[in-house]
Amino acid sequence: MEETGIQLEESDVTPFVLYESAFPVTVRQGKPIRHHIVVYLCAKIKTNSSSSHSAPRFCPKEVGAGAWISKEDVRDSFQTEKIESGRKFNGWEALDDGWKDCEFSLSQIQSIPDENGNLSAERLTTGTRVVLREWLKNK
């Protein structure tokens, strides 16, 4: 995966989920003006969140933030009750000239658009949430 610096063999990567995406996300907001299929891949990597070289080399012009998130945190983010606001996980945030270590609130992962498609905070995309649910089912 040349853009991230993560070393993978082609045999380590398999198609996992196809997700149909449209914007705006609800008809209430108007007719779709963007529509595409997103192919999510699954890969086994030979590093983990506790390794010293765990920060992928993202391009700050393309990615605003990144993190490794534990299976427990992913599972908890799909619970119906709101996660306590103080629960955090570590990640990286893009700067103009690189990356800085930072913490994110786990409650951000729970954030979803309201019935009008409005968001109250930064969040994972709907497609990413669909893929994470599928990933949990297969773990």
Side-chain angles (χ1 to χ4, degrees), residues 8 85 107:
L8 295 172
S85 62
S107 63

Side-chain angles (χ1 to χ4, degrees), residues 57-68:
R57 293 188 307 258
F58 298 123
C59 174
K61 292 179 183 174
E62 296 177 0
V63 179
W68 295 116

Side-chain angles (χ1 to χ4, degrees), residues 37-94:
I37 299 293
V38 181
V39 179
Y40 287 88
L41 305 172
C42 189
K44 284 217 177 234
I45 57 175
K46 295 171 179 67
T47 188
N48 62 46
S49 61
S50 63
S51 70
S52 60
H53 57 286
S54 62
R57 293 188 307 258
F58 298 123
C59 174
K61 292 179 183 174
E62 296 177 0
V63 179
W68 295 116
I69 303 173
S70 72
K71 185 166 84 172
E72 175 187 16
D73 285 346
V74 171
R75 185 180 302 116
D76 290 352
S77 74
F78 287 107
Q79 302 304 314
T80 54
E81 65 275 356
K82 192 74 172 164
I83 294 173
E84 66 273 9
S85 62
R87 191 158 160 200
K88 307 274 187 194
F89 61 95
N90 295 321
W92 312 277
E93 191 169 12

